[in-house]
């Protein structure tokens, strides 16, 4: 089968690999129909994910059809269309039992697919702990509608949930990339009084204004003024930092009102400074970390009800055999790309 493979720092390559087989009775083999490229894949390519294993098939955003299941798998069966969770989690350890599945104590717990074990930018993928890692796609939901459920949409849903957004809140979201837009959609489900999105890229601000006209989209140079003008207590009640830029962490705490919640979703390339003397007295609550993506069933239900729709994020689609071109487009942010989908099914070759 064709599989896009991490060779060494700075080098991915499309290679022929053996089709995966069941290794444990909790595994499933999924025939990948549609995958996508994530910024985290670029982090692997650039060497900023030390735990990534050379030789691994990359990719952790995918949907497909169950081909084979182990004897202990009960939630799905061959023929089911499924989303694949970015995280591997056993469901039984202390962290899983508390819903903190990103910290599952299994050796392959957390983000494993496409990083430490073979992922889904390929024709087939083996999914460990399939009962937890796969969710059946409702018949009325398309692959394109479900594509981001297991990763960036799960991230946005988790971020909005832990931020405890209330109807009277002014919410600031830093970043209007794919994860930022997913976070925006999930924040809007909470129906806050005002939502402000800060984004440097003019095209992405235009995307926000086109699809969410009641949301205020501003550049970094105007965000503080916008927050002060549209909040009642000297800053945003909730700030979600999704951008991960050189100055976005600083912006996040500066734009927050005293006693606000600052949720950091972003993955940074470098350490961030926590200048406690400067923020002394603001009494901020910081929440940080990777997604606990265990509510994919709820997200699929919201998609089925028409309350979430991330299909406008898919601006380009390539067959698997042309995945190099998809990466070049996505990494270079050319041609207005937001997300590039990869057809791993009939159009793979």
């Amino acid at each position: 089968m064709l599989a896009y493979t991490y060779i060494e720092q700075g080098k991915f390559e499309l290679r022929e690999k053996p089709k995966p087989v069941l290794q444990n009775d909790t595994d499933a083999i999924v025939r990948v129909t549609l995958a996508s490229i994530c910024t985290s894949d670029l982090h692997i390519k650039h060497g900023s994910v030390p735990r990534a294993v050379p030789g691994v098939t990359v990719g952790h955003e995918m949907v497909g059809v169950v081909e084979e299941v182990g004897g202990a798998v009960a939630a799905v069966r061959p023929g089911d269309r499924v989303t694949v969770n970015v995280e591997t989690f056993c469901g039984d350890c202390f962290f899983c039992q508390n819903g903190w599945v990103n910290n599952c104590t299994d050796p392959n717990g957390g983000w494993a697919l496409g990083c430490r074990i073979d992922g889904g930018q390929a024709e087939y993928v083996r999914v460990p702990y399939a009962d937890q890692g796969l969710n059946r796609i409702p018949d009325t939901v398309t692959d394109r509608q479900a594509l981001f459920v297991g990763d960036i949409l799960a991230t946005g849903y988790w971020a909005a949930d832990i931020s405890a957004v209330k109807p009277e809140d002014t919410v600031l979201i830093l970043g209007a990339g794919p994860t930022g837009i997913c976070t925006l959609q999930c924040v809007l489900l909470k129906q806050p009084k005002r939502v402000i999105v800060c984004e440097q890229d003019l095209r992405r601000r235009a995307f926000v204004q086109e699809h969410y006209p009641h949301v205020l989209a501003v550049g970094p140079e105007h965000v503080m003024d916008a927050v002060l003008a549209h909040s009642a207590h000297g800053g945003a009640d909730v700030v979600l930092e999704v951008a991960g830029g050189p100055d976005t962490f600083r912006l996040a705490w500066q734009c927050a009102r005293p006693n606000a919640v600052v949720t950091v979703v972003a993955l940074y390339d470098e350490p961030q400074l926590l200048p406690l003397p400067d923020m002394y007295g603001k009494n901020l609550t910081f929440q940080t970390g990777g997604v606990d993506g265990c509510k994919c069933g709820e997200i699929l239900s919201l998609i089925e009800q028409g309350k979430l729709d991330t299909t406008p994020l898919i601006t380009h689609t390539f067959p698997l055999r042309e995945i190099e071109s998809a990466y070049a487009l996505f990494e270079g942010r050319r041609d207005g790309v937001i997300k590039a989908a990869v057809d791993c099914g009939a159009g793979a070759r």
Side-chain angles (χ1 to χ4, degrees):
M1 68 168 189
L2 289 176
Y4 204 48
T5 305
Y6 172 39
I7 306 302
E8 59 189 15
Q9 183 173 336
K11 185 178 181 181
F12 285 178
E13 192 174 279
L14 190 61
R15 290 191 167 181
E16 284 283 351
K17 286 185 174 181
K19 179 182 171 182
V21 297
L22 298 173
Q23 296 182 17
N24 301 290
D25 61 2
T26 53
D27 290 351
I29 305 300
V30 174
R31 175 171 53 83
V32 182
T33 53
L34 197 65
S36 184
I37 301 169
C38 180
T39 304
S40 298
D41 299 322
L42 299 180
H43 288 309
I44 291 176
K45 182 179 179 182
H46 298 154
S48 55
V49 184
R51 59 186 172 175
V53 179
V56 76
T57 300
V58 294
H60 53 271
E61 291 180 344
M62 72 207 87
V63 294
V65 178
V66 176
E67 181 111 334
E68 187 180 1
V69 297
V73 176
V76 296
R77 62 179 187 270
D80 286 344
R81 294 170 55 241
V82 291
T83 61
V84 180
N85 199 304
V86 63
E87 292 164 329
T88 299
F89 56 102
C90 68
D92 295 323
C93 71
F94 167 79
F95 294 102
C96 286
Q97 287 293 303
N98 281 279
W100 304 323
V101 301
N102 186 53
N103 303 108
C104 175
T105 57
D106 185 88
N108 283 319
W111 177 28
L113 284 170
C115 179
R116 290 173 283 142
I117 62 176
D118 285 337
Q121 288 173 8
E123 294 180 80
Y124 295 89
V125 63
R126 178 183 70 90
V127 181
Y129 293 115
D131 277 348
Q132 285 76 252
L134 299 178
N135 288 86
R136 294 178 60 187
I137 301 173
D139 291 341
T140 57
V141 174
T142 67
D143 283 2
R144 292 173 79 85
Q145 288 175 303
L147 180 56
F148 304 130
V149 166
D151 185 21
I152 58 172
L153 195 46
T155 299
Y157 195 75
W158 164 80
D161 196 36
I162 66 171
S163 299
V165 176
K166 299 182 290 297
E168 65 270 22
D169 284 346
T170 292
V171 179
L172 171 64
I173 299 173
L174 298 177
T179 306
I181 297 296
C182 288
T183 302
L184 170 61
Q185 283 206 18
C186 295
V187 164
L188 291 174
L189 292 174
K190 308 287 186 178
Q191 298 183 317
K193 182 178 180 180
R194 165 65 81 175
V195 179
I196 302 168
V197 172
C198 175
E199 170 58 50
Q200 188 168 7
D201 189 296
L202 288 172
R203 290 174 298 183
R204 290 184 171 180
R205 289 212 301 269
F207 182 92
V208 171
Q209 290 164 347
E210 176 186 354
H211 292 275
Y212 313 98
H214 54 297
V215 171
L216 179 62
V218 298
E221 67 277 13
H222 299 301
V223 64
M224 182 64 78
D225 290 339
V227 167
L228 292 175
H230 294 281
S231 61
H233 307 290
D237 302 286
V238 177
V239 181
L240 297 103
E241 197 321 52
V242 196
D247 299 315
T248 51
F249 178 71
R250 176 185 54 80
L251 270 179
W253 67 262
Q254 284 183 334
C255 290
R257 65 155 168 83
N259 297 282
V261 172
V262 179
T263 299
V264 180
V265 183
L267 178 63
Y268 300 100
D269 288 327
E270 298 177 351
Q272 299 298 301
L273 180 67
L274 190 66
L276 293 176
D278 295 338
M279 62 176 66
Y280 185 78
K282 290 196 83 168
N283 296 359
L284 299 172
T285 297
F286 285 91
Q287 302 187 118
T288 69
V291 54
D292 290 311
C294 51
K295 295 187 177 179
C296 294
E298 293 180 22
I299 296 170
L300 281 164
S301 178
L302 289 165
I303 293 172
E304 187 179 25
Q305 297 170 48
K307 295 181 179 179
L308 289 172
D309 179 18
T310 54
T311 54
L313 295 176
I314 305 173
T315 53
H316 299 75
T317 304
F318 294 79
L320 180 57
R321 66 179 180 275
E322 296 177 15
I323 194 169
E324 292 275 6
S325 298
Y327 263 84
L329 179 86
F330 183 70
E331 187 168 5
R333 290 194 178 187
R334 300 201 309 264
D335 195 27
V337 64
I338 298 178
K339 288 290 279 188
V342 181
D343 184 350
C344 300
R349 295 176 180 270

Short mmCIF file of all heavy atoms in Angstrom, two decimals, residues 1 18-22 29-30 68 124-126:
data_model
loop_
_atom_site.label_atom_id
_atom_site.label_comp_id
_atom_site.label_asym_id
_atom_site.label_seq_id
_atom_site.Cartn_x
_atom_site.Cartn_y
_atom_site.Cartn_z
N MET A 1 0.85 -1.20 0.00
CA MET A 1 0.00 0.00 0.00
C MET A 1 0.88 1.24 0.00
O MET A 1 2.04 1.20 0.42
CB MET A 1 -0.90 0.03 1.24
CG MET A 1 -0.14 0.24 2.54
SD MET A 1 -1.19 0.61 3.94
CE MET A 1 0.05 1.05 5.16
N PRO A 18 3.89 -2.72 3.53
CA PRO A 18 2.91 -3.80 3.70
C PRO A 18 1.63 -3.27 4.34
O PRO A 18 1.67 -2.37 5.19
CB PRO A 18 3.61 -4.80 4.63
CG PRO A 18 5.05 -4.44 4.55
CD PRO A 18 5.13 -2.98 4.29
N LYS A 19 0.50 -3.83 3.97
CA LYS A 19 -0.76 -3.50 4.62
C LYS A 19 -0.68 -3.91 6.09
O LYS A 19 -0.17 -4.99 6.42
CB LYS A 19 -1.90 -4.24 3.92
CG LYS A 19 -3.27 -4.01 4.52
CD LYS A 19 -4.31 -4.83 3.77
CE LYS A 19 -5.66 -4.78 4.48
NZ LYS A 19 -6.68 -5.62 3.78
N PRO A 20 -1.15 -3.07 7.03
CA PRO A 20 -1.07 -3.42 8.45
C PRO A 20 -1.94 -4.62 8.79
O PRO A 20 -2.94 -4.90 8.11
CB PRO A 20 -1.55 -2.16 9.16
CG PRO A 20 -2.39 -1.44 8.16
CD PRO A 20 -1.77 -1.73 6.82
N VAL A 21 -1.57 -5.31 9.86
CA VAL A 21 -2.32 -6.47 10.34
C VAL A 21 -2.67 -6.26 11.80
O VAL A 21 -2.05 -5.44 12.50
CB VAL A 21 -1.51 -7.77 10.17
CG1 VAL A 21 -1.21 -8.04 8.71
CG2 VAL A 21 -0.21 -7.70 10.97
N LEU A 22 -3.66 -7.00 12.29
CA LEU A 22 -4.02 -6.94 13.70
C LEU A 22 -2.85 -7.43 14.55
O LEU A 22 -2.25 -8.46 14.26
CB LEU A 22 -5.25 -7.80 13.96
CG LEU A 22 -6.55 -7.41 13.25
CD1 LEU A 22 -7.62 -8.46 13.49
CD2 LEU A 22 -7.04 -6.03 13.71
N ILE A 29 -8.42 -2.74 11.78
CA ILE A 29 -7.80 -2.25 10.55
C ILE A 29 -8.83 -1.42 9.82
O ILE A 29 -9.96 -1.88 9.58
CB ILE A 29 -7.31 -3.41 9.66
CG1 ILE A 29 -6.37 -4.34 10.43
CG2 ILE A 29 -6.65 -2.85 8.40
CD1 ILE A 29 -5.12 -3.69 10.95
N VAL A 30 -8.45 -0.20 9.47
CA VAL A 30 -9.36 0.72 8.79
C VAL A 30 -8.81 1.04 7.41
O VAL A 30 -7.62 1.36 7.26
CB VAL A 30 -9.53 2.02 9.60
CG1 VAL A 30 -10.36 3.05 8.81
CG2 VAL A 30 -10.17 1.73 10.95
N GLU A 68 -11.34 -4.87 9.34
CA GLU A 68 -11.14 -6.06 10.16
C GLU A 68 -11.05 -5.61 11.62
O GLU A 68 -10.53 -4.54 11.91
CB GLU A 68 -9.85 -6.77 9.74
CG GLU A 68 -9.59 -8.11 10.39
CD GLU A 68 -8.29 -8.74 9.91
OE1 GLU A 68 -7.59 -8.12 9.08
OE2 GLU A 68 -7.98 -9.85 10.38
N TYR A 124 -4.28 2.17 4.37
CA TYR A 124 -4.83 1.44 5.52
C TYR A 124 -4.10 1.89 6.78
O TYR A 124 -2.94 2.31 6.73
CB TYR A 124 -4.66 -0.07 5.36
CG TYR A 124 -5.43 -0.67 4.21
CD1 TYR A 124 -4.87 -0.74 2.94
CD2 TYR A 124 -6.73 -1.15 4.39
CE1 TYR A 124 -5.57 -1.28 1.88
CE2 TYR A 124 -7.44 -1.69 3.32
CZ TYR A 124 -6.86 -1.76 2.07
OH TYR A 124 -7.56 -2.29 1.02
N VAL A 125 -4.78 1.74 7.93
CA VAL A 125 -4.16 2.07 9.21
C VAL A 125 -4.66 1.08 10.26
O VAL A 125 -5.82 0.65 10.24
CB VAL A 125 -4.49 3.52 9.63
CG1 VAL A 125 -5.99 3.72 9.85
CG2 VAL A 125 -3.71 3.93 10.87
N ARG A 126 -3.76 0.71 11.16
CA ARG A 126 -4.14 -0.10 12.33
C ARG A 126 -4.45 0.85 13.48
O ARG A 126 -3.64 1.71 13.82
CB ARG A 126 -3.01 -1.05 12.73
CG ARG A 126 -3.34 -1.90 13.97
CD ARG A 126 -2.17 -2.78 14.37
NE ARG A 126 -1.05 -1.98 14.92
CZ ARG A 126 -0.90 -1.68 16.20
NH1 ARG A 126 -1.80 -2.09 17.10
NH2 ARG A 126 0.14 -0.97 16.60
#
